[in-house]
Amino acid sequence: MTATTVFTVKKMIVTAVCLCLIIAAAGCGTKEAEPLGRFNPMGTSGVHNEQAERAFAKARVLWRGEQCSDPDKAIELLTEAVTIEPDYAQAWLRRGLAYSEKRWYDLALDDLNKAVRLAPNVESYTYRGLVEMRLGNLMGAERDLSRAIELDPDYHRAWNFRGATRLLDERISAACDDFQTGCKKGDCTGRDNAVKQGFCD
């Protein structure tokens, strides 16, 4: 086996582990993830157009934690919401996540760019960072996830996603530090999986 083959196999293993950690950190572990943002499935808040908010609420209930049960339906409903209310940042963010579930990462990134412009908050930067990581833009992912951590140092998803980004970049010690901090902030799934896979102590 050549050195190039060994490096390629190693990179594939790290990538596979990172994807597992990303999924786990995104709410697929045994710990129930809290919902993203506030929503009212039975009514509207009055912040946005009522019809847009109702479409958003119907889409939002398709998520359990961060996994969408029907991305196509979510995209349809969220498209209705942003067509009616183009400044609806949460709808752009959610549609970006739905596109990401379908692995339509370019469309997902377009929507998350809009979400960041409309609402430059911890969630927008965190989920744009996640999609950038999935696209292989590790530098852009780390920049966004570091910005998210600056905005809210207690947001465990940002720490766990940045840990996965650093693991993909083969910066093992830095990744383990982020997973450990994510654990201290409320979600140990990333750290536990990294320990189980032998990357962290």
Side-chain angles (χ1 to χ4, degrees):
M1 191 178 287
T2 68
T4 303
T5 305
V6 170
F7 176 78
T8 303
V9 169
K10 180 181 173 188
K11 192 73 171 178
M12 288 171 60
I13 291 169
V14 171
T15 300
V17 170
C18 279
L19 289 173
C20 186
L21 290 170
I22 291 162
I23 291 167
C28 291
T30 55
K31 183 177 186 237
E32 180 69 26
E34 70 269 19
L36 279 168
R38 291 174 296 197
F39 73 103
N40 178 3
M42 301 306 292
T44 59
S45 69
V47 173
H48 298 288
N49 173 279
E50 183 177 351
Q51 185 180 346
E53 286 197 352
R54 289 192 186 282
F56 177 83
K58 288 176 186 175
R60 176 61 189 87
V61 297
L62 297 173
W63 267 267
R64 178 177 174 84
E66 293 174 45
Q67 298 298 303
C68 184
S69 62
D70 189 348
D72 290 316
K73 184 65 175 174
I75 289 166
E76 177 188 331
L77 289 163
L78 293 163
T79 298
E80 178 185 349
V82 297
T83 300
I84 295 166
E85 186 77 64
D87 293 336
Y88 202 160
Q90 267 288 318
W92 289 110
L93 186 152
R94 279 282 165 188
R95 195 176 74 168
L97 291 178
Y99 280 141
S100 182
E101 293 257 348
K102 294 180 68 66
R103 299 179 187 228
W104 296 350
Y105 297 129
D106 290 335
L107 291 172
L109 193 55
D110 286 345
D111 279 8
L112 288 158
N113 284 337
K114 290 184 179 85
V116 167
R117 281 195 298 272
L118 291 166
N121 58 35
V122 64
E123 285 184 345
S124 298
Y125 279 107
T126 295
Y127 287 102
R128 188 172 72 175
L130 173 64
V131 171
E132 285 172 333
M133 176 175 54
R134 289 173 171 171
L135 278 167
N137 179 11
L138 301 183
M139 186 180 296
E142 179 153 357
R143 182 182 59 243
D144 273 353
L145 293 164
S146 296
R147 178 63 181 139
I149 288 165
E150 287 173 13
L151 290 168
D152 184 354
D154 293 325
Y155 197 60
H156 61 76
R157 287 181 179 87
W159 289 103
N160 282 319
F161 293 165
R162 194 175 75 172
T165 300
R166 288 176 167 181
L167 193 60
L168 277 171
D169 202 29
E170 299 186 2
R171 292 158 57 205
I172 308 301
S173 178
C176 292
D177 288 346
D178 279 357
F179 289 136
Q180 183 62 36
T181 303
C183 182
K184 289 177 182 174
K185 300 300 182 181
D187 184 358
C188 295
T189 313
R191 186 207 63 183
D192 293 348
N193 278 305
V195 169
K196 185 178 178 181
Q197 296 296 328
F199 288 101
C200 304
D201 298 325

